[in-house]
Amino acid sequence: MAWMRVLTVNPGSSSLRLHVVEDGDVADSAEIGRPPAEAADEVKSFVDGLGVDAVAHRLVHGGADLIEPAVADDRVRAAIAAAKSLAPQHVPNTEALLDQLGELLPDVPHVVCPDTAFHRDLPEIARTYPLPARWRARWDLRRFGFHGLSFGWAVRRAAELLDRPAAELNLLVAHLSGGCSVAAVAGGRSVDTSMGFTPLEGTMMAKRSGTVDPGMLLWLLREGHLDVAELEDGLYRHSGLLGLSGTSDDTRELVRDSRAGDVKARFAMAVFEHRARRELAAVAVSLDRVDALVFTGDIGWDQPEVAEAVAGGLGVLGVRGGLSRNRERDAVISPAGARVPVLAVRSREELSLAAAAVSVL
């Protein structure tokens, strides 16, 4: 694939990553630890005088209409606006950055890359919610899946590390970061995943709850204990690791505090690890075998205690612990001869974004 010089834009709910990718590698970068809405000056400073051939924007939720990367024309912008309510913590940030960077870099194409695209061929039985047919038809209620840019890169690197074609591999992939999800990948295709209609379903996350009993949420609303705004704020911003520990959503801090005797920190980590194992085991039933388990995302790549706890509790799938703590490079981290190899792959969403933009242009 011929490469260009591409600016990649990766907004989170509370941070922003900018990379300049050239010839398949990062030539420059900036990590801004503030919400994109508050980072306009830093963005302007980074792109001032920057020469690029294209800009690639990560879009967390493409909705029903954006199922592959596309140039940000009027149709695409309308589809993004329609998907805003599906991921309100993320999609408005992409809209704002498209506006700002469209003004700062008006002479190059801007390509929107949906994180949901990797799961666009999710089998019908895996994407369907058991809801009334009239609901599903009217509002397109189904499971979309997320973290596709990360999953796609992890599958590619796993194939290289195992020296086997991706088309021959059945993989379990765990993207563990501020947002967390897992996927079962067969022959390079997503066949099951933990996130669904929104990025709130599935395994526990840094500040998001993951899956909880919908009846409990109905009860909280019906009995007047919470209103919709309070419920949304609590599920998205005050749950997960932060909600259980009461102190932090950062696994590095929680592991340190656990060792120092903080009972709540240790409990938060134990629940986090349990929920990750549970979701991995759930999607594993969509595979006829497991050829490898791949950890990626900031936590999956750089928190060996979490990888050890998750892998060590999946003996029912043939996975074992005793993992290497090496994080200097992508690698197989399970002991030699392990029945199911365990890999750690650094998430390189910026390279996936650049490749997607090149493929479109």
Side-chain angles (χ1 to χ4, degrees):
M1 177 183 290
W3 285 89
M4 303 184 297
R5 186 172 166 87
V6 181
L7 169 64
T8 68
V9 184
N10 189 345
S13 58
S14 58
S15 62
L16 173 63
R17 297 178 181 180
L18 303 171
H19 293 85
V20 177
V21 177
E22 187 172 17
D23 294 328
D25 206 355
V26 174
D28 197 3
S29 65
E31 296 207 12
I32 303 169
R34 296 199 292 163
E38 302 173 9
D41 290 342
E42 290 95 327
V43 172
K44 186 177 186 302
S45 176
F46 185 79
V47 303
D48 187 34
L50 188 66
V52 294
D53 301 305
V55 183
H57 297 257
R58 174 179 174 242
L59 175 66
V60 165
H61 206 317
D65 296 323
L66 285 180
I67 60 173
E68 59 186 4
V71 174
D73 56 17
D74 291 343
R75 179 194 69 83
V76 169
R77 290 300 301 263
I80 294 172
K84 189 186 306 184
S85 64
L86 301 176
Q89 309 299 315
H90 296 87
V91 174
N93 290 330
T94 296
E95 285 189 309
L97 288 161
L98 276 167
D99 290 339
Q100 182 185 10
L101 288 166
E103 293 180 1
L104 294 173
L105 297 169
D107 300 322
V108 299
H110 290 249
V111 178
V112 174
C113 305
D115 234 359
T116 46
F118 182 75
H119 306 285
R120 63 181 176 271
D121 296 322
L122 202 64
E124 190 170 1
I125 60 170
R127 71 170 182 261
T128 300
Y129 285 115
L131 296 170
R134 64 185 183 277
W135 294 5
R136 289 184 279 113
R138 183 173 181 180
W139 297 298
D140 198 19
L141 303 180
R142 59 186 171 93
R143 306 184 72 250
F144 288 96
F146 300 89
H147 294 130
L149 292 161
S150 177
F151 285 134
W153 180 261
V155 170
R156 173 181 170 180
R157 289 293 293 133
E160 293 171 349
L161 291 167
L162 296 171
D163 195 24
R164 295 177 60 185
E168 297 179 2
L169 288 171
N170 281 4
L171 302 172
L172 290 176
V173 188
H175 175 97
L176 305 179
S177 189
C180 302
S181 69
V182 306
V185 181
R189 294 178 57 248
S190 173
V191 294
D192 208 350
T193 190
S194 58
M195 281 184 172
F197 186 68
T198 74
L200 192 57
E201 187 181 1
T203 192
M204 172 179 155
M205 305 174 222
K207 295 179 181 178
R208 281 174 262 169
S209 64
T211 297
V212 294
D213 180 359
M216 176 180 64
L217 306 183
L218 290 172
W219 178 82
L220 288 167
L221 293 171
R222 184 178 62 246
E223 298 300 313
H225 298 305
L226 297 172
D227 61 29
V228 172
E230 291 171 321
L231 185 62
E232 181 177 65
D233 185 55
L235 293 173
Y236 274 99
R237 298 186 182 91
H238 304 286
S239 297
L241 289 167
L242 180 61
L244 291 185
S245 71
T247 56
S248 177
D249 65 343
D250 189 324
T251 57
R252 294 167 297 185
E253 295 177 0
L254 294 174
V255 167
R256 180 199 65 205
D257 293 346
S258 297
R259 290 172 175 166
D262 187 323
V263 175
K264 287 186 177 180
R266 179 58 250 165
F267 181 71
M269 291 301 303
V271 176
F272 180 86
E273 292 152 2
H274 167 74
R275 294 295 291 260
R277 290 192 297 265
R278 188 173 186 227
E279 294 294 339
L280 283 165
V283 299
V285 302
S286 294
L287 302 173
D288 58 12
R289 67 179 191 279
V290 178
D291 294 319
L293 167 62
V294 185
F295 287 102
T296 191
D298 293 340
I299 297 172
W301 161 256
D302 199 31
Q303 193 72 66
E305 296 85 356
V306 173
E308 178 67 30
V310 173
L314 289 173
V316 69
L317 300 180
V319 181
R320 295 289 186 269
L323 307 179
S324 164
R325 298 172 67 88
N326 170 50
R327 290 297 186 275
E328 296 179 0
R329 65 187 187 283
D330 296 347
V332 176
I333 58 174
S334 51
R339 175 183 164 194
V340 178
V342 180
L343 288 66
V345 172
R346 181 183 172 192
S347 184
R348 300 300 301 272
E349 290 171 323
E350 69 277 9
L351 301 186
S352 287
L353 283 164
V358 170
S359 70
V360 169
L361 299 174

